[in-house]
């Protein structure tokens, strides 16, 4: 991604422009997934892959152009939370005609809310302990958040049913893990003073 954005470092395009494009393509993907038809699922998957690429590109451009900022980082995290959460909600709505029936909708909402909770806890942890304080380290160039790339693949090959069940369960447990890991920060942040 860094090679692709290098020419943008000398243009008026900012990392926040790319984050906004990421937000737009992510919202479009969520809306297309909610239609629940194969034709739209393919377009949604393409839009979501583009959204993921733009998510990586904004950080690369920020570093290359020396335009990193705390606000830009928070905007990036907020965009991630909105896109990834609503994408699961959209998938759940789109699967309402599957074997899951209307159960797909609350499963999508549960997965979406769990993803939003994880990113909320990340923002709190970073506000308390500094940027990247809640980052999970990857191995061999693969970060844990790269798993989001499995979503469009699963949708294109027709595994949406399994994806939404796994996402609802997995994201819920992962949000509970993050809650447990950062509970002291959460209590400190929201403790009422006498």
């Amino acid at each position: 991604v860094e090679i692709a954005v290098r020419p943008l470092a000398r243009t008026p395009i900012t990392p926040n422009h790319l984050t906004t494009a990421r937000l737009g393509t992510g919202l479009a993907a969520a809306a297309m997934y909610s239609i629940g038809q194969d034709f739209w699922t393919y377009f949604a998957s393409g839009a979501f892959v583009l959204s993921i690429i733009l998510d990586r590109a904004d950080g690369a451009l920020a570093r290359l152009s020396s335009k990193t900022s705390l606000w830009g980082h928070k905007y990036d995290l907020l965009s991630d939370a909105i896109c990834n959460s609503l994408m699961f909600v959209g998938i759940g709505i789109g699967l309402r005609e599957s074997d899951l029936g209307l159960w797909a909708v609350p499963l999508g909402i549960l997965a979406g809310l769990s993803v939003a909770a994880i990113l909320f806890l990340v923002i709190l942890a970073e506000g308390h302990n500094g940027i990247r304080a809640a980052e999970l380290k990857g191995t061999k160039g693969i970060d844990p958040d790269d798993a989001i790339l499995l979503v469009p693949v699963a949708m294109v090959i027709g595994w949406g049913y399994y994806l939404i069940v796994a996402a609802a369960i997995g994201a819920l447990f992962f949000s509970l893990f993050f809650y447990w890991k950062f509970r002291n920060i959460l209590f400190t942040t929201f403790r009422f003073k006498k």
Side-chain angles (χ1 to χ4, degrees), residues 100-137:
L100 286 170
L102 292 179
W103 281 106
V105 176
L107 286 172
I109 292 170
L110 177 60
L113 288 175
S114 297
V115 168
I118 292 165
L119 288 164
F120 172 73
L121 290 167
V122 166
I123 290 169
L124 281 181
E126 288 189 351
H128 192 266
N129 295 337
I131 290 179
R132 308 279 182 222
E135 185 173 74
L136 298 176
K137 303 294 182 198

Side-chain angles (χ1 to χ4, degrees), residues 33-158:
Y33 276 133
S34 72
I35 296 169
Q37 297 172 358
D38 289 345
F39 174 81
W40 289 106
T41 295
Y42 298 136
F43 279 106
S45 296
F48 196 64
V49 168
L50 178 58
S51 183
I52 293 167
I53 291 168
L54 289 167
D55 182 37
R56 302 302 188 261
D58 62 2
L61 181 59
R63 288 184 295 278
L64 285 170
S65 62
S66 299
K67 293 180 182 173
T68 58
S69 71
L70 183 58
W71 187 89
H73 179 70
K74 286 184 179 180
Y75 180 43
D76 180 49
L77 285 176
L78 183 62
S79 296
D80 290 349
I82 292 169
C83 291
N84 295 347
S85 298
L86 291 180
M87 183 262 314
F88 283 117
V89 173
I91 289 171
I93 292 169
L95 289 170
R96 66 193 175 279
E97 301 293 327
S98 71
D99 289 342
L100 286 170
L102 292 179
W103 281 106
V105 176
L107 286 172
I109 292 170
L110 177 60
L113 288 175
S114 297
V115 168
I118 292 165
L119 288 164
F120 172 73
L121 290 167
V122 166
I123 290 169
L124 281 181
E126 288 189 351
H128 192 266
N129 295 337
I131 290 179
R132 308 279 182 222
E135 185 173 74
L136 298 176
K137 303 294 182 198
T139 58
K140 298 181 182 178
I142 298 173
D143 292 323
D145 64 340
D146 289 339
I148 199 74
L149 285 167
L150 296 175
V151 171
V153 172
M155 292 303 293
V156 165
I157 63 175

Side-chain angles (χ1 to χ4, degrees), residues 6 15 24 27 81 106 126 134 169 191:
R6 192 179 306 274
L27 291 173
E126 288 189 351
I169 295 168
R191 183 174 47 203

